[in-house]
Amino acid sequence: MTTILGIESSCDDTAAAVIRDGILLSNIISSQKVHENYGGVVPELASRAHQQNIIPVVDQALKKAGVDKKDITAIAFTRGPGLMGSLLVGTSFAKGLSSALNIPMVDVNHLHAHVLAHFIKENESDDNQPKFPFLCLLVSGGNSQIILVKSYKDMEIIGQTIDDAAGEAFDKCAKVMGLGYPGGPVVDRLAKEGNPDRFKLNKPHIQGYDYSFSGLKTSFLYLLRDELKKDPDFIEKNKEDLCASLQKTIIEVLMDKLRRAAKDLDIKEVAVAGGVSANSGLRNAFEDHAKRFGWKVFIPPFGYTTDNAAMIAMTGYFKYHDGDFCPMDAAPFSRVVM
Ligand code: KG4
């Protein structure tokens, strides 16, 4: 029996999960509310909150799983990328517990974990996993990448953003509309009531499979600036149409490159991962591509779209079985090349 405790603390969610023999037993997340007043994550506040949350979160994950500390086989933790102060809390905790229990540690690349979230099984009969090689669109607050996934450990980034991430484009445009942080979910909700064809926004022309969202963001800002001169209530009167047009453009940009990559590589299994994969328009676009292009699509349950420890435990489970352990002096890394 292999029981993996997964710990995630890369940004502003403190999370712990237990996976036994590949099946998820518990998945606990404590999201930090303290950042809402600041329009973004404040790193120092995040690491302090992780320190307060980590013991109760791990305790709850073990209790929910019905697992005692002495039954844990190995501890998997997020080593990076992420906020250094936040990563240090999870890494130090994993080291302390691994040393106290005299069990191995497995370090996990957070981005690999988002992709491997598609392999989390909630029960024995759950067999809806992608087959290698597949493509994964990883879209979050910090990343927009097209990844060619050749195996659990062999992943190649074939395209990525050269400036802002898709989530950042949602959040920054939402911020200038006064929609709060994180703005992605609010844009998604308002977009459902709006006309996506009302406003035309600039689409980038970038080589290959890479993305760019800064031009789109600037064209959105200029549109607001020009219209607000004519009518100070422009945003309030048009926020649904603004959100629908913004969302439609971001999704078209994402799907155009992904479709091209799938065609060039002749791959029909296509997954989406990361926080922005919660977006209803993007999920619909995936379903639509499945019908139009014969793709088999993998869309994660909402609980696995944002940061969670189930995906860390799952990745740790694969690495544990490869004997791929991590030394006690492993330091976290804030940035990573896959
Ligand atoms: O993967 P994630 O939880 O972590 C970070 O990379 O920080 O992604 C967070 C991002 C944020 O930019 C948030 O606005 C976006 O995911 N997001 C969404 C939706 N839900 C979360 N963006 C668009 N529509 C959503 N429904």
Side-chain angles (χ1 to χ4, degrees), residues 130-136 146-150 156 158 258-271 289 293-298:
K131 295 198 178 46
F132 303 113
F134 65 92
L135 285 178
C136 185
I146 300 178
I147 303 168
L148 174 59
V149 189
K150 300 172 200 167
E156 183 189 346
I158 58 169
L258 185 62
R259 200 167 51 245
R260 198 185 310 161
K263 185 165 178 277
D264 292 350
L265 298 168
D266 193 22
I267 289 181
K268 296 253 187 240
E269 306 236 344
V270 190
H289 277 62
F293 302 103
W295 288 5
K296 184 164 188 213
V297 294
F298 298 87

Side-chain angles (χ1 to χ4, degrees), residues 11 114 140-142 167-168 170-171 182-185 188 274-276 278-279 305-307:
C11 190
H114 267 302
S140 67
E168 245 176 312
F170 272 109
D171 292 343
D188 190 1
V276 181
N279 184 269
T305 56
T306 44
D307 293 346

Side-chain angles (χ1 to χ4, degrees), residues 201-205 216 219 248-249 252-253 256:
L201 301 168
N202 275 0
K203 282 203 207 168
H205 298 282
L216 166 57
S219 92
K248 180 187 172 202
T249 316
E252 279 177 0
V253 172
D256 284 353

Side-chain angles (χ1 to χ4, degrees), residues 158-174:
I158 58 169
Q160 61 187 320
T161 181
I162 58 165
D163 41 54
D164 289 351
E168 245 176 312
F170 272 109
D171 292 343
K172 287 181 178 169
C173 292

